[in-house]
């Protein structure tokens, strides 16, 4: 699981949507299992979608209210001609996936509005699993749910990952969630990657000033414990027309002269720990 964190509007969801071609990329390249899939079209794109699926943030608006649970889960199979002509096998597969994600068989004929938020998100997960994908982009899959339901869904996703050997790109702004679920974490700021490392390492030591500020916002659940919160001042540069140099410079407490005219590159400053910041140029 690769976790992607960053404040709202930094481009996390855009990144996820570009990877599964829900949005066209305007720049860069996308490789999947060593193959360049940036400009896939037509039949090749359709076929690649079988391997790459997405779970959306809002389990209500991402489900068609006029379709039953069974029809929602079966729709990808129909589009991709899975078990073509064998409706019985499709229905059997739907019931099997429903069982896997913890939905009761009797809910197959229910509509999304008849179920609670947790069950709706289980439908979203079931739909993503319908084509037996290898890779799933999870775009804030638990942020619209109650905390108790969040834990259930996260545990379900981890169990599914083990049993089906899935790779997740897990997008969230919730640092405790990302810490719980990720093996590696990427920190994004205004459309660029500023730090990337194993999850454990990030919570032990942060190198980029933005990551430091982000993690300083995590509350400490201990009586009397004090934590120095780093408050960021300054304007956020325009994401459409960013200023030259480091995009974080107008808010960075450690900015230097070259930060405003030279864009820092992502470099490995420790084994498996990558940072884009001029503080580590040497
Ligand atoms: Fe701050 Fe400069 Fe590093 Fe950007 S490159 S994060 S402005 S120190």
């Amino acid at each position: 699981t690769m976790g992607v964190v960053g404040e709202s509007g930094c481009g996390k969801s855009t990144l996820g949507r570009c990877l599964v071609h829900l949005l066209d990329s305007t720049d860069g390249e996308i490789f999947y299992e060593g193959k360049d899939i940036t400009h896939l079209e037509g039949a090749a794109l359709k076929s690649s979608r079988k391997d790459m699926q997405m779970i959306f943030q809002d389990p209500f608006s991402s489900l068609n209210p006029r379709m039953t649970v069974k029809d929602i889960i079966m729709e990808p199979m129909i589009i991709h001609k899975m078990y073509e002509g064998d409706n019985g096998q499709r229905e059997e597969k739907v019931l099997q996936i429903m069982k896997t994600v913890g939905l009761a068989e009797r809910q197959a004929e229910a509509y999304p509005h008849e179920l609670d938020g947790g069950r709706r998100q289980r439908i979203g997960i079931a739909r993503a699993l319908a084509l037996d994908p290898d890779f799933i982009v999870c775009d804030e899959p638990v942020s619209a749910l109650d905390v108790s339901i969040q834990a259930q869904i996260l545990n379900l996703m981890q169990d599914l990952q083990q049993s089906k050997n899935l790779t997740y790109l897990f997008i969230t702004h919730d640092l405790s969630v990302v810490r719980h679920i990720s093996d590696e974490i990427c920190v994004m700021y205004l459309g660029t990657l500023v730090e990337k490392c194993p999850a454990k390492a990030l919570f032990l030591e942060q190198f980029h000033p933005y990551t430091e500020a982000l993690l300083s916002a995590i509350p400490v659940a201990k009586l009397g414990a004090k934590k120095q919160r780093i408050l960021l001042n300054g304007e956020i540069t325009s994401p459409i027309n960013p200023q030259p140099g480091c995009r974080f410079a107008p808010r960075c407490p450690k900015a230097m002269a070259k930060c405003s005219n030279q864009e820092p590159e992502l470099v490995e400053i420790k084994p498996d720990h990558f940072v884009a910041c001029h503080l580590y140029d040497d």
Side-chain angles (χ1 to χ4, degrees):
T1 299
M2 167 78 80
V4 183
V5 291
E7 61 198 357
S8 296
C10 74
K12 306 184 293 294
S13 296
T14 305
L15 170 71
R17 284 166 187 254
C18 286
L19 293 182
V20 294
H21 286 80
L22 283 181
L23 287 176
D24 288 331
S25 326
T26 51
D27 204 355
E29 294 164 313
I30 305 167
F31 284 84
Y32 182 72
E33 293 188 338
K35 216 171 89 189
D36 186 350
I37 59 161
T38 322
H39 303 294
L40 279 189
E41 284 180 343
L45 174 60
K46 191 174 170 188
S47 155
S48 81
R49 286 216 165 110
K50 269 194 228 169
D51 299 329
M52 295 184 281
Q53 289 290 305
M54 186 149 179
I55 300 169
F56 296 90
Q57 176 176 2
D58 184 344
F60 199 53
S61 65
S62 61
L63 300 173
N64 187 336
R66 291 164 193 256
M67 290 172 79
T68 62
V69 173
K70 182 179 85 179
D71 291 342
I72 290 170
I73 301 171
M74 198 184 284
E75 192 181 30
M77 298 182 205
I78 296 169
I79 292 170
H80 287 272
K81 300 187 169 56
M82 200 175 178
Y83 308 124
E84 203 177 7
D86 191 345
N87 225 24
Q89 207 171 348
R90 274 186 188 151
E91 290 200 7
E92 203 178 297
K93 171 100 178 169
V94 168
L95 294 178
Q96 180 208 327
I97 297 172
M98 285 180 65
K99 194 173 167 200
T100 310
V101 301
L103 287 168
E105 203 175 315
R106 63 186 147 75
Q107 285 155 343
E109 297 301 332
Y111 288 87
H113 75 270
E114 296 176 271
L115 304 173
D116 60 32
R119 288 197 179 84
R120 275 184 222 137
Q121 195 54 299
R122 286 174 196 265
I123 304 172
I125 296 171
R127 178 178 56 186
L129 293 176
L131 299 172
D132 298 322
D134 296 320
F135 172 59
I136 302 182
V137 173
C138 313
D139 187 5
E140 308 243 16
V142 294
S143 55
L145 306 174
D146 292 344
V147 176
S148 58
I149 311 286
Q150 283 189 9
Q152 290 175 18
I153 297 293
L154 287 174
N155 289 339
L156 168 67
M157 292 180 71
Q158 284 185 309
D159 292 345
L160 290 171
Q161 181 170 49
Q162 292 294 322
S163 61
K164 295 185 178 291
N165 201 19
L166 296 168
T167 300
Y168 292 142
L169 183 89
F170 198 98
I171 298 166
T172 182
H173 60 262
D174 188 327
L175 293 165
S176 42
V177 167
V178 85
R179 182 182 199 169
H180 177 72
I181 199 152
S182 306
D183 299 303
E184 274 196 294
I185 297 183
C186 289
V187 182
M188 278 186 79
Y189 184 79
L190 274 191
T192 57
L193 227 152
V194 296
E195 191 155 356
K196 174 184 167 293
C197 63
K200 276 187 190 150
L202 190 81
F203 286 89
L204 286 175
E205 196 175 18
Q206 310 88 42
F207 290 94
H208 196 280
Y210 174 65
T211 317
E212 280 180 323
L214 199 66
L215 267 72
S216 80
I218 301 176
V220 185
K222 199 171 171 192
L223 270 184
K226 285 201 178 134
K227 196 171 175 191
Q228 190 70 39
R229 170 113 194 246
I230 302 170
L231 294 173
L232 297 174
N233 299 311
E235 289 287 312
I236 300 178
T237 187
S238 161
I240 298 169
N241 188 20
Q243 59 157 53
C246 173
R247 294 180 184 193
F248 187 55
R251 300 169 80 194
C252 180
K254 298 179 182 170
M256 305 167 281
K258 69 172 165 184
C259 300
S260 46
N261 51 42
Q262 221 179 307
E263 191 169 354
E265 283 186 18
L266 195 69
V267 290
E268 190 171 16
I269 59 162
K270 276 177 83 174
D272 275 344
H273 204 131
F274 296 80
V275 182
C277 175
H278 289 310
L279 288 174
Y280 308 99
D281 278 357
D282 298 329

